Amino acid sequence: MNKAGIWQEIKLMLILSMVCALFLGGTRIAIGERAELSDKTIESIYSILGEKVEHNKLYEQFSKDYKQINKGRIKIWQSVNNSSIHAYEASGSGMWAEITLVFVVDLSKKQIIGLRVTEQKETPGVGSKIAEEEFFSQFNSMSCVNEVKVDAVTGATTSSKSVEKLLNKSLKRQMSLEKGELK
């Protein structure tokens, strides 16, 4: 193949790459916040608060009830109707894989309302217990004035401590936002 043919192929590949990038970017803009928000997250938030929302109206209702105030590995949403209620989604390392947890805090009471582990791939029957009611019930009405300490699941200390670390990191992020240290 000659040099002209190679340059033609390179130009074609660059054009196709740009078209694909524009298409993906446009799709991301069109989808917006939904791309960062899962059904599990929304369902967990409403479950913690004891509220029922029809599954086919989750995103619509959530977008009316909450505004996002932080993105990234620690996402934070503030209730539109009660500014002291904040919902969090945090992801980080567990024993074997990433753990994602969702929790809700009443900042006026400095209290965790509840917590759910929405994603985990910890050891079945041991570390996976962090996603069970028995583990996350300890967070119901827990004070978050100081660093939160977790009662670890027997045999799953690393997984339990991972939840503790994510929770404290998220609460620290909230304090930084309140102090205006982060934008």
Side-chain angles (χ1 to χ4, degrees), residues 126-167:
V126 184
S128 64
K129 289 184 179 183
I130 63 171
E132 295 177 4
E133 177 69 35
E134 190 175 328
F135 175 73
F136 55 71
S137 65
Q138 70 181 291
F139 300 98
N140 297 343
S141 302
M142 179 185 271
S143 172
C144 60
V145 173
N146 299 313
E147 191 169 280
V148 173
K149 296 291 182 193
V150 172
D151 291 333
V153 173
T154 303
T157 305
T158 303
S159 300
S160 302
K161 292 299 178 184
S162 294
V163 170
E164 179 180 278
K165 183 179 175 182
L166 278 170
L167 185 57

Side-chain angles (χ1 to χ4, degrees), residues 99-115:
I99 293 173
T100 300
L101 57 91
V102 173
F103 64 99
V104 180
V105 173
D106 184 336
L107 295 175
S108 66
K109 295 178 181 178
K110 302 283 188 206
Q111 196 173 62
I112 297 169
I113 296 171
L115 177 141

Side-chain angles (χ1 to χ4, degrees), residues 72-84:
R73 305 261 306 151
I74 301 171
K75 297 174 183 75
I76 306 173
W77 296 272
Q78 181 178 33
S79 171
V80 172
N81 299 322
N82 182 347
S83 62
S84 67

Side-chain angles (χ1 to χ4, degrees), residues 2-101:
N2 63 26
K3 284 187 178 184
I6 291 174
W7 283 112
Q8 287 293 83
E9 285 185 27
I10 291 173
K11 285 180 190 178
L12 177 64
M13 290 184 353
L14 286 173
I15 290 170
L16 286 174
S17 296
M18 288 179 8
V19 168
C20 289
L22 288 172
F23 177 74
L24 289 173
T27 302
R28 175 72 173 106
I29 290 169
I31 292 172
E33 191 176 308
R34 282 186 177 203
E36 295 183 19
L37 194 57
S38 74
D39 289 357
K40 279 185 178 180
T41 297
I42 298 172
E43 288 170 342
S44 294
I45 291 168
Y46 284 121
S47 172
I48 290 166
L49 295 169
E51 298 176 17
K52 302 269 187 226
V53 176
E54 291 179 43
H55 186 76
N56 62 341
K57 295 185 179 180
L58 280 174
Y59 291 98
E60 179 183 338
Q61 189 63 47
F62 192 79
S63 65
K64 289 178 185 175
D65 292 343
Y66 292 89
K67 65 178 182 178
Q68 191 166 19
I69 59 174
N70 194 67
K71 296 180 179 185
R73 305 261 306 151
I74 301 171
K75 297 174 183 75
I76 306 173
W77 296 272
Q78 181 178 33
S79 171
V80 172
N81 299 322
N82 182 347
S83 62
S84 67
I85 301 295
H86 284 73
Y88 302 74
E89 180 190 69
S91 298
S93 298
M95 174 79 173
W96 302 112
E98 191 163 280
I99 293 173
T100 300
L101 57 91

